[in-house]
Structures are given as C-alpha cells and as structure tokens.
C-alpha cells in the first residue's frame, strides 16, 4: 500500500511546528486535516519519569523534605547526580523554633526554608525536579539492562471520532526522529474501533507494536532500563470542590532515599485526630495560633459564663517531651507578658496544663528536670501526671476518670511510623521503622536507602534504634550524601552498578547534647552523650543565651537567620503580635 501523502505532509507540518518555541494549539490542529480525513484522538499519555539512559546522569530520588532529606539534597553532588524530590511540602521546617511561631514570637516564614534554596538544581537543572506529591507504593524489582527497540510506526490507526484531535507531543518526538534517521514514512488506515472504546492503550497497541521487526538503528536505543518504580499521587487541596483531582504518576530511580519521616503517635486514643492539634508542621502552628486568638476574643464577648470562659481559655498540652515543654513555656510567657496586658478582662481565666504519664523531659539530667518542673510551676503551668484515655470535643478523660475541659488541645506524645512506612514490604527495626544496616542501606532492596525518623538499625547490626531527633536525621543525611557522592564518582551511580563496591566507614552517631527552653529567658542545656554518661548540664539565663545562639547558627540560610534575629528583637521591644490573620 502506498504511503498516504496527506499523512506524510501532516507529520512534517506538525514536526516543523513542534520545533518552534510555540507549539500549535489544540484548536489549530483540526485545520491540518482535510474535511474527509478521520481525526486522530488519543488520551493523555501515562505520566512518569522513565529510567535514565547509559549516557545520562544517574537519578537520586528523595522521598521527604525534612531534616534528613534536605541535608542529603544539600550535600549531594549535582555534577554526578540528577536529584528528584517527592514531598507533600516544598519547604523544610526548622522544628526547634516551631513552638515560638504559635504565640507570635517568630513569624512562620522564619522557620520555613524553600527546597529550591537548599538545593538550587531542583529548579535549575533539566534532569532535576521537585514533585508536590506523596509516594503511595514502591516497586523494588531488580534493575536490568535491556535493549529497547524503537517502536514500529509503520502502521497508525485513526479513530472515526467527531471530537477534536489531541496529539501527544511525545509521539511527535518519535516521528521526528524517524524522519531524521531516514526511516520510511507512515502508512495510514482506518480502524473499526468505535469512538467510545478508543483510548491511549488502544492507540499505543496500534502505533507501537512491540512484535514488529526492530528498526535498523536499534543499537542507538540501548539503555539501562529499570523495573523499579515509585507510584506517586499529587497533593491538592481537597477542601474546595473546584480543585483538581489528584494525578497519579510514576518515577523510576537509580538510587532511592526514603526520608519521609514519621507521624505523631496517638497510641490508639479515640478522638485525638479529630479534636487535638499536633505540632509538627507550619500548618499546625498556624492552626494553634488562630485557635488560641479566637478563644481569647470569644471569651471577652458579653454573656459568656465564667465556666465557659475557663474552658475556652484552658490550654492543655499532652506530652512532656521537649516539644511539649517548650510550647508550654512559650505559652506561659505569652500569657504573662502579653495577655495580661491586652486582655485584662479575662486574664484570671487563662491557664496552661501539661499532662505527662511519667517524668517531663525524661532524657535530661535529673537536676535539669527538677529545675524545669519548678520553673513551669512558678510560671503558672499546671503539671498533671496521668494517661489520656479518651478525647471528646470539649474535654479529655484521664485513666483515673478525671475530666479535663479544654479550649485548645495540643498533642505532643512522640512519633511513630506512618501508614506509608508500615505498608512497605521491607524488614522492620524495633518500633516499626524501616530496617537499615550500618551504611543506612535497606538490605532487602538494591539501591534503596532510608534515613531519618522512618528508619532504624536492624537487630542483626547489634546497634540500638536512634531517637527521633533533628540532629540524628541531619547527621544521617550528611553521611549518606557523602556516601552517594563517592559511589557516583566511582562509577556506581546507575542502578544495580554498586553491588560489590567498597562503601568505606559505616555510619556512627555521636550525641551532641540536648537543649530546651522553658520560657521567661530560661532554658536547659544537657551536654551528656547519654542518660548514663557524665557531662556538663546548665540551667537558667546562660543556658537560654546558649540555646538561642546555637539555634540561630543552625538555621539553614542567612535569609532566615536575619528573619529570626529581627523577630526576636521586635518581640523584645514591642511584644508579640496578637493579630488573627
């Protein structure tokens, strides 16, 4: 059958338009067909990043944008790797200062660092990307090197459909390459497939026939093709019905780093997720601030009973770890310095209660724990020992039956594995985290690593599971970045190419100490390497100065350091901002 002249001319016209900076619009495409020509209709192709070729840079895919993932991306050598980050947020949160944003000591932007500033190649290099999405599944089948013959385009079927044509430009790229390589033009024939059954799958079966004879330039298309994929789903705001539906796509990787963190532990307590607010993200801090200021303003309205005022202005914090203690200290300082001056009508009704099952700050020195207890008590914080059994809309019930009414409930009882981490079919460490070896590799899968709160050493390593701390995650990210850089420079960056490579020294964690502020220019500094070890312990104003100086230097960028310093100075001179925005 002789080639169809109209189709050959159409192909060259489309390819010429595709080379120009401005691609033809969909409304202009029908004019390229004659009135008697059947329109071509293809559904949008399945999205995804395919495997990297042998001549391309290997791809490192990072799941998460927390301390571990961002430190890894900051240290990765982008001359060796392309970096792809998949995360539901496009920023890193400086969590040690997050409690200060809840009461207006700091602005929210001061603790948020965009990923594009941490790793500029994400928005600059053609092979590096950031995807606002969540990973839903990981397919870790072995990577293989195969030959990918060029699809057979000798036969393209057209559908007899009256709808406007949609031609994916990925197909135009293939058509252009065939014309440039001197391959025969296309032949057209009509299909009897009804329009209702015509889809991309049917079009691909017609246009890309894998059973055909390979083309003469098949050797050019030989590349490293992997079967390892990440199945992802975009993050959209589901609160508005007019928003886009989530889009599913796939990403292939050469090296995968799972650093998706953990989620707040509720210990199965009923009603926590519905009525309590966690303190792990900027959105949580914003919600706490709005709720706190709303209750302050509502309690000043005439006609509200004293009992209701006491409930509205009762702030309950569950969890006596560093986050819960620091938030309680910031909240008590906010009440003493700002609320008593600007809401004098209700100043006698506002209180803070800290509920802990055991001792507060259990990882700190005994002397520091006692200092924190005394200081919080003097600041007006009520310390209650108990276990929360049930959370209801306006009260919580403790294990001894005590009912505690609240207007604001903040839940900070530690973290545990997320449902995504639990769903992965990897060996787990004690506590349900992904099990890793001494080099932070996942032994059950080739080219997969895990760092941060979602990972822990396997029992076979003989090492204990490290605590979910920012400094642990940061040190792991720094170590793994150096390890991947060495692997890439030694030629092992591509998939399945570093099996027998010498990795060097394993990861060793050395604890640098712990710090926590308790409000009113007081803080705790514990420089011991463990609870049993001996070391320097400080409390008071000097510790508070060390605490602020240390965290100011640890803020990621100079821009945010400037923001933090200015916010601290503004709050000291003018007080906290009580605007509810």
């Amino acid at each position: 059958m002789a080639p169809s002249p109209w189709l050959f001319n159409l192909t060259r016209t489309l390819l010429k338009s595709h080379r120009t900076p401005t691609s033809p619009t969909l409304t202009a495409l029908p004019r390229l067909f004659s009135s008697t020509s059947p329109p071509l209709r293809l559904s949008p192709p399945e999205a995804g990043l395919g495997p990297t070729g042998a001549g391309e840079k290997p791809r490192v895919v990072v799941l998460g944008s927390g301390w571990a993932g961002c430190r890894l991306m900051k240290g990765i050598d982008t001359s060796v790797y392309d970096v792809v980050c998949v995360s539901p947020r496009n920023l890193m949160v400086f969590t040690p200062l997050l409690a200060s944003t809840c009461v207006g000591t700091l602005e929210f932007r001061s603790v948020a660092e965009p990923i594009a500033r941490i790793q500029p190649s994400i928005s600059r290099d053609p092979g590096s990307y950031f995807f606002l999405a969540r990973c839903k599944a990981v397919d870790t089948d072995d990577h293989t090197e195969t030959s990918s013959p060029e699809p057979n385009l000798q036969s393209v079927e057209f559908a007899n459909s009256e709808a406007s044509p949609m031609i994916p430009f990925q197909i135009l790229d293939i058509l252009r390459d065939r014309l440039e390589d001197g391959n025969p033009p296309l032949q057209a024939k009509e299909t009897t497939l009804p329009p209702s059954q015509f889809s991309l799958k049917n079009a691909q079966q017609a246009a890309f026939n894998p059973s055909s004879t390979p083309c003469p330039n098949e050797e050019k298309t030989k590349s490293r093709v992997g079967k390892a994929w990440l199945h992802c789903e975009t993050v959209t705001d589901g609160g508005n019905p007019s928003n886009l539906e989530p889009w599913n796509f796939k990403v292939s990787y050469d090296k995968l780093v799972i650093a998706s963190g953990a989620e707040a532990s509720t210990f199965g307590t009923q009603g926590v997720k519905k009525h309590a607010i966690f303190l792990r993200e900027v959105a949580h801090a914003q919600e706490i601030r709005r709720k706190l200021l709303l209750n302050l303003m509502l309690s000043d309205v005439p006609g509200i009973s004293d009992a209701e005022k006491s409930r509205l202005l009762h702030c309950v914090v569950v969890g006596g770890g560093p986050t819960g203690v620091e938030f309680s200290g910031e909240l008590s300082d906010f009440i003493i310095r700002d609320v008593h001056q600007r809401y004098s009508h209700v100043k006698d009704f506002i209180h803070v209660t800290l509920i802990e099952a055991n001792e507060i700050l259990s990882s700190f020195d005994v002397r520091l724990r006692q200092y924190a207890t005394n200081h919080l008590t003097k600041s007006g914080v009520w310390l209650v020992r108990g276990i929360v059994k049930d959370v209801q809309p306006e009260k919580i019930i403790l294990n001894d039956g005590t009912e505690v009414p609240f207007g604001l409930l903040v839940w900070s009882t530690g973290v545990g594995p997320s449902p995504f981490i639990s769903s992965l079919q990897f060996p787990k460490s004690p506590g349900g985290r992904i099990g890793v070896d001494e080099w932070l590799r996942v032994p059950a899968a080739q080219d997969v690593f895990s760092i941060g709160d979602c990972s822990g050493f396997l029992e076979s390593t003989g090492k204990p599971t490290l605590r979910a701390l920012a400094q642990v995650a940061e040190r792991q990210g720094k170590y793994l970045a150096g390890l991947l850089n060495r692997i890439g420079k030694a030629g092992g960056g591509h998939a399945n190419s570093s099996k027998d490579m010498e990795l060097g020294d394993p990861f060793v964690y050395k604890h640098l100490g712990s710090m926590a502020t308790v409000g009113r220019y007081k803080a705790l500094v514990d420089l011991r390497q463990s609870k049993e070890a001996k070391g320097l312990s400080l409390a008071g104003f000097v510790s508070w100065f060390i605490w602020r100086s240390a965290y100011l230097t640890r803020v990621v960028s100079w821009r945010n350091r400037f923001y933090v310093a200015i916010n601290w100075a503004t709050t000291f001179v003018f007080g906290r901002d009580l605007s509810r925005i």
Side-chain angles (χ1 to χ4, degrees):
M1 180 178 178
S4 301
W6 70 269
L7 180 59
F8 186 73
N9 295 332
L10 164 66
T11 304
R12 288 197 177 278
T13 303
L14 287 176
L15 295 179
K16 182 178 180 181
S17 301
H18 186 44
R19 295 173 190 269
T20 60
T22 305
S23 300
T25 60
L26 295 180
T27 57
L29 289 177
R31 302 171 188 168
L32 300 173
F33 296 89
S34 64
S35 59
T36 59
S37 301
L40 173 65
R41 180 173 180 83
L42 296 177
S43 301
E46 185 178 3
L49 285 181
T52 57
E56 299 175 339
K57 289 192 294 184
R59 180 186 300 142
V60 174
V61 179
V62 183
L63 300 183
S65 57
W67 281 86
C70 286
R71 185 60 184 88
L72 171 91
M73 288 188 286
K74 181 179 180 180
I76 204 75
D77 189 347
T78 55
S79 66
V80 178
Y81 292 101
D82 285 330
V83 181
V84 174
C85 179
V86 179
S87 175
R89 64 184 189 193
N90 69 337
L91 52 88
M92 170 191 167
V93 181
F94 194 80
T95 49
L97 297 178
L98 189 60
S100 298
T101 64
C102 300
V103 295
T105 306
L106 296 176
E107 295 298 328
F108 299 112
R109 72 173 69 182
S110 302
V111 300
E113 189 69 38
I115 294 177
R117 290 182 177 270
I118 297 174
Q119 179 48 264
S121 68
I122 289 288
S123 57
R124 181 185 62 199
D125 293 353
S128 297
Y129 302 93
F130 170 78
F131 297 134
L132 190 69
R134 288 186 176 90
C135 183
K136 301 181 72 66
V138 179
D139 183 1
T140 59
D141 289 345
D142 291 337
H143 298 254
T144 58
E145 186 170 345
T146 61
S147 178
S148 302
E150 184 177 303
N152 178 29
L153 296 180
Q154 296 298 317
S155 176
V156 178
E157 296 188 355
F158 291 84
N160 289 317
S161 171
E162 298 179 358
S164 299
M166 295 189 297
I167 302 179
F169 289 107
Q170 294 91 330
I171 298 179
L172 299 183
D173 288 332
I174 299 175
L175 298 176
R176 180 192 64 202
D177 292 339
R178 287 189 57 83
L179 291 175
E180 290 178 349
D181 293 339
N183 289 309
L186 307 178
Q187 296 181 357
K189 61 180 179 179
E190 289 190 353
T191 179
T192 57
L193 190 67
S196 61
Q197 299 180 14
F198 193 81
S199 64
L200 175 64
K201 180 178 180 180
N202 298 325
Q204 289 175 332
Q205 292 175 350
F208 308 110
N209 184 4
S211 63
S212 61
T213 303
C215 59
N217 58 346
E218 175 182 338
E219 190 64 28
K220 290 173 52 180
T221 63
K222 186 174 183 179
S223 62
R224 186 178 302 276
V225 179
K227 297 181 181 179
W229 293 90
L230 304 177
H231 301 266
C232 306
E233 183 180 80
T234 57
V235 174
T236 58
D237 184 7
N240 190 342
S242 64
N243 287 327
L244 294 173
E245 291 293 328
W247 179 267
N248 295 313
F249 61 95
K250 299 193 300 182
V251 178
S252 179
Y253 63 84
D254 291 299
K255 297 290 185 286
L256 172 63
V257 181
I258 303 176
S260 55
E263 68 174 17
S265 296
T266 63
F267 304 102
T269 306
Q270 185 178 0
V272 173
K273 293 185 177 181
K274 186 175 181 180
H275 304 299
I277 306 175
F278 303 110
L279 186 53
R280 295 183 53 80
E281 305 285 349
V282 172
H284 296 156
Q286 291 173 328
E287 185 178 1
I288 291 172
R289 179 174 171 81
R290 289 179 58 85
K291 182 71 172 178
L292 176 63
L293 294 178
L294 175 64
N295 289 350
L296 276 171
M297 289 180 281
L298 290 178
S299 63
D300 216 8
V301 174
I304 295 183
S305 64
D306 290 349
E308 182 64 9
K309 285 183 180 181
S310 297
R311 186 195 67 81
L312 283 174
L313 297 179
H314 189 197
C315 305
V316 178
V317 182
V318 179
T323 300
V325 169
E326 288 189 338
F327 177 70
S328 299
E330 287 280 354
L331 198 54
S332 65
D333 192 38
F334 168 70
I335 294 171
I336 294 172
R337 293 193 55 198
D338 299 276
V339 174
H340 284 187
Q341 294 180 9
R342 307 182 194 183
Y343 287 90
S344 57
H345 299 95
V346 297
K347 64 181 181 180
D348 296 330
F349 295 92
I350 187 166
H351 296 286
V352 180
T353 297
L354 177 60
I355 300 176
E356 168 59 36
N358 299 302
E359 294 285 341
I360 66 171
L361 300 175
S362 58
S363 62
F364 282 69
D365 181 70
V366 176
R367 185 176 63 88
L368 297 182
R369 294 205 301 266
Q370 189 59 46
Y371 179 90
T373 300
N374 295 337
H375 181 81
L376 290 174
T377 303
K378 291 179 181 179
S379 300
V381 179
W382 297 343
L383 301 180
V384 176
R385 179 172 295 184
I387 300 175
V388 178
K389 288 298 184 182
D390 188 24
V391 178
Q392 298 180 7
E394 296 183 353
K395 64 182 179 181
I396 61 176
I397 301 176
L398 303 182
N399 56 331
D400 60 357
T402 304
E403 296 184 357
V404 181
F406 67 86
L408 172 67
L409 177 61
V410 177
W411 193 272
S412 177
T413 59
V415 296
S418 64
F420 167 68
I421 296 299
S422 300
S423 68
L424 297 179
Q425 300 302 311
F426 296 142
K428 298 297 194 298
S429 68
R433 302 183 184 183
I434 298 176
V436 296
D437 62 10
E438 295 91 336
W439 292 273
L440 306 180
R441 300 176 300 180
V442 179
Q446 180 68 22
D447 297 320
V448 178
F449 304 81
S450 185
I451 54 178
D453 297 349
C454 65
S455 67
F457 288 118
L458 290 167
E459 290 183 313
S460 59
T461 63
K463 294 186 175 183
T465 299
L466 299 175
R467 295 166 56 198
L469 299 175
Q471 61 174 299
V472 174
E474 184 183 28
R475 301 275 290 283
Q476 287 180 334
K478 182 179 179 179
Y479 168 84
L480 187 55
L483 177 61
L484 291 177
N485 290 340
R486 293 195 301 272
I487 292 175
K489 292 176 182 178
H494 280 285
N496 205 28
S497 60
S498 60
K499 282 185 176 180
D500 302 323
M501 188 171 293
E502 180 64 32
L503 299 181
D505 296 333
F507 173 75
V508 177
Y509 173 70
K510 182 179 180 181
H511 189 61
L512 300 179
S514 303
M515 296 184 294
T517 178
V518 291
R520 298 178 66 184
Y521 308 110
K522 301 295 189 298
L524 314 175
V525 175
D526 190 352
L527 300 181
R528 300 176 305 155
Q529 293 188 13
S530 65
K531 293 179 63 175
E532 297 78 16
K534 295 182 179 180
L536 181 63
S537 299
L538 300 174
F541 177 79
V542 175
S543 299
W544 174 84
F545 182 80
I546 295 174
W547 174 83
R548 281 208 166 181
S549 301
Y551 282 141
L552 183 62
T553 59
R554 298 303 298 167
V555 174
V556 178
S557 68
W558 282 102
R559 183 196 71 158
N560 277 21
R561 291 174 194 170
F562 179 78
Y563 283 160
V564 170
I566 292 299
N567 289 163
W568 279 342
T570 303
T571 301
F572 179 79
V573 176
F574 301 106
R576 296 173 178 85
D577 184 15
L578 296 182
S579 302
R580 185 175 182 266
I581 300 175

